[in-house]
Amino acid sequence: MKIGIAADHGGYALKEIIRNQLEAQGHELSDFGAHTLDRDDDYPDFVLPLARAVADTTVERGIAICGSGVGAAIAANKVAGVRASLVAEHFSAHQGVEDDDLNLLCLGGRVTGESAALELVGTFINAQFSGAERHRRRLEKIQRVENNSGL
């Protein structure tokens, strides 16, 4: 799978661990930075290019990491076509994809341990959207809001 990954200083160490694991598993990775640890960097500088790549399907899925994961989720969801969520447990990592077509996973580098993060990422990338009519209907409503055509 072609996966994009991004992190600021708060998620840099966890990004490197996840990136190495995904590459070892044979995934094609696009690393949107940070490429060095810089305590003065800002998550939108890395998360927004990743979100745009997810939206235009340059990458199939994205993983964004900041200190808490909250800022990354907020930034990513500003890009039309991105369905990002901060996930901290197994159920949401697969259910978000299966029901809501989650395409960008957000993690907190300061609150998510390495083992948990690797489990969440694995669950996220292995899950598939169900395509059920009720889920498509809900996503169409969100698309209408993104396109400023109402609910």
Side-chain angles (χ1 to χ4, degrees):
M1 179 178 286
K2 188 162 186 181
I3 301 168
I5 192 165
D8 68 354
H9 60 278
Y12 178 78
L14 187 58
K15 176 184 75 82
E16 293 300 299
I17 291 165
I18 294 168
R19 183 179 56 78
N20 290 335
Q21 177 73 20
L22 292 173
E23 286 175 343
Q25 293 172 347
H27 295 285
E28 183 180 343
L29 265 287
S30 295
D31 188 338
F32 290 83
H35 300 290
T36 59
L37 181 59
D38 177 358
R39 301 227 178 261
D40 291 325
D41 65 15
D42 298 318
Y43 61 84
D45 296 335
F46 310 111
V47 173
L48 290 172
L50 167 63
R52 289 182 190 108
V54 169
D56 72 17
T57 67
T58 301
V59 296
E60 296 170 69
R61 302 261 174 98
I63 302 164
I65 312 160
C66 66
S68 68
V70 173
I74 291 169
N77 279 312
K78 297 298 180 187
V79 177
V82 171
R83 292 168 303 281
S85 183
L86 171 60
V87 174
E89 38 66 42
H90 181 84
F91 177 77
S92 296
H94 68 83
Q95 183 272 338
V97 176
E98 293 164 357
D99 292 1
D100 304 307
D101 205 14
L102 179 70
N103 56 14
L104 201 153
L105 176 72
C106 299
L107 299 170
R110 294 184 177 136
V111 297
T112 308
E114 176 182 335
S115 295
L118 292 173
E119 176 194 345
L120 295 171
V121 167
T123 300
F124 167 69
I125 63 173
N126 288 311
Q128 297 297 317
F129 179 54
S130 71
E133 187 280 328
R134 70 183 188 278
H135 300 309
R136 287 192 319 272
R137 181 182 68 241
R138 294 166 187 161
L139 291 171
E140 288 168 5
K141 290 179 181 185
I142 293 168
Q143 286 177 320
R144 286 196 299 271
V145 170
E146 285 180 341
N147 296 331
N148 293 317
S149 56
L151 182 66

